[in-house]
Amino acid sequence: MSNSPSAPRSGFARMFLVTGLPTELKVSFWIWFVGGILGLLGGMLGMLASLVLFAAAPGAATLVLLLMLLAAAVGAAQIVLALAMKDGKRWARLGLTALTGATLVLAVANAMMGVGQGGNWGTFVISLAATVLLWLPNSQAFFAAARSGNTSSE
């Protein structure tokens, strides 16, 4: 394999390749991808931390463990959707938009319960910004070109 910048990339390196994407999609991709990594890691660390809770409150620990498992699964799904979105898959863009809607529901539920630190609102605003970038005219044109097979991305 050549070290030339023009050499085709495959495997792990291709995951980070964003050439050929409009700037809006590049920014959106990195927001979703990094957010997914953080969600996955946070969920996994939360699962480990919940194991300590089993000694004191097994019922609560089970609930926390399930919620952390869900957080890790959503983070993993976000990574997969971001990678598919980068390849011009419209279903991935819809999935990421649905995740933003779910984030709004969680933020409202958190606010109505009056518990927590209100962190869901920040997450919602960041998700909303990344989602808006997915639906701007340059992004629309990229997805239309990808559907017809006229993209220049690798």
Side-chain angles (χ1 to χ4, degrees):
M1 183 167 172
S2 172
N3 288 333
S4 165
S6 63
R9 294 186 181 178
S10 62
F12 191 70
R14 187 180 180 286
M15 184 183 330
F16 302 107
L17 189 64
V18 292
T19 55
L21 290 177
T23 302
E24 296 88 338
L25 287 180
K26 288 178 184 178
V27 172
S28 184
F29 167 76
W30 286 114
I31 291 171
W32 286 115
F33 189 79
V34 170
I37 295 287
L38 293 174
L40 181 63
L41 290 175
M44 293 177 77
L45 288 173
M47 282 189 281
L48 289 173
S50 71
L51 296 176
V52 174
L53 190 57
F54 271 104
T62 302
L63 178 63
V64 170
L65 183 64
L66 290 173
L67 289 173
M68 292 299 106
L69 182 61
L70 178 64
V74 168
Q78 192 170 320
I79 293 166
V80 170
L81 289 171
L83 291 170
M85 175 273 298
K86 182 176 65 98
D87 290 335
K89 307 292 187 212
R90 289 180 168 196
W91 57 265
R93 180 173 59 164
L94 292 172
L96 291 168
T97 302
L99 279 177
T100 300
T103 305
L104 174 61
V105 169
L106 290 173
V108 169
N110 190 13
M112 290 175 65
M113 284 193 244
V115 295
Q117 301 171 358
N120 288 350
W121 287 111
T123 303
F124 168 68
V125 169
I126 293 168
S127 297
L128 182 62
T131 301
V132 167
L133 291 172
L134 293 175
W135 295 94
L136 291 176
N138 282 343
S139 301
Q140 294 276 23
F142 173 80
F143 284 103
R147 187 172 191 179
S148 65
N150 296 333
T151 60
S152 62
S153 65
E154 295 178 358

